[in-house]
Amino acid sequence: MDLLYIIMISIGISMDALAMSICKGITFKNMDFKYALKVALFFSTFQVLFPLIGYLLGNSFESFVSKIDYWIAFYLIVFIGFNMIREAFNKNHDNNASLDFSYFYNSVFIFFL
């Protein structure tokens, strides 16, 4: 991988982290420093680990996955799209965010993926 690709991936990951942190910051009105630090540590940990794990697994399964990679991407996008549509029409969705960690672990964990 040459240096230009590494720089582009780094910029993309940092933009993703910025967008997620802005969305998360808008959700909560009264966030204390301790909670903000925990969220920042989770984001930064996953932003470092997931590309590394993806690179290692990608190299391991490259010969198998390269034959069906477009189908994997297609099904992931369809799955995420259907879940977004289902959640949009869900009447029991609670828009009131609280600072308890049950909400954090249940809803924010999907941001890291």
Side-chain angles (χ1 to χ4, degrees):
M1 192 181 290
D2 81 11
L3 183 62
L4 179 62
Y5 289 138
I6 293 173
I7 291 172
M8 298 287 283
I9 290 171
S10 301
I11 291 171
I13 288 174
S14 64
M15 289 171 44
D16 176 54
L18 176 66
M20 288 292 106
S21 64
I22 289 172
C23 291
K24 197 64 193 160
I26 290 172
T27 304
F28 294 118
K29 301 285 187 226
N30 301 320
M31 185 182 301
D32 61 343
F33 181 75
K34 183 179 175 182
Y35 185 77
L37 186 62
K38 287 180 183 180
V39 172
L41 287 174
F42 269 87
F43 272 117
S44 60
T45 301
F46 282 98
Q47 291 289 332
V48 169
L49 286 180
F50 279 173
L52 181 62
I53 292 169
Y55 174 76
L56 294 174
L57 289 176
N59 281 341
S60 300
F61 297 108
E62 179 182 11
S63 62
F64 173 71
V65 173
S66 64
K67 299 173 188 172
I68 59 169
D69 59 352
Y70 46 89
W71 288 109
I72 294 171
F74 172 74
Y75 286 121
L76 283 173
I77 291 171
V78 167
F79 176 74
I80 291 170
F82 279 133
N83 276 333
M84 289 174 66
I85 292 169
R86 182 183 51 85
E87 286 181 7
F89 290 108
N90 186 2
K91 301 293 182 192
N92 297 328
H93 186 67
D94 184 19
N95 289 329
N96 298 328
S98 62
L99 287 177
D100 64 343
F101 273 99
S102 63
Y103 175 78
F104 176 77
Y105 290 120
N106 292 335
S107 67
V108 177
F109 187 75
I110 195 69
F111 286 139
F112 303 133
L113 299 177

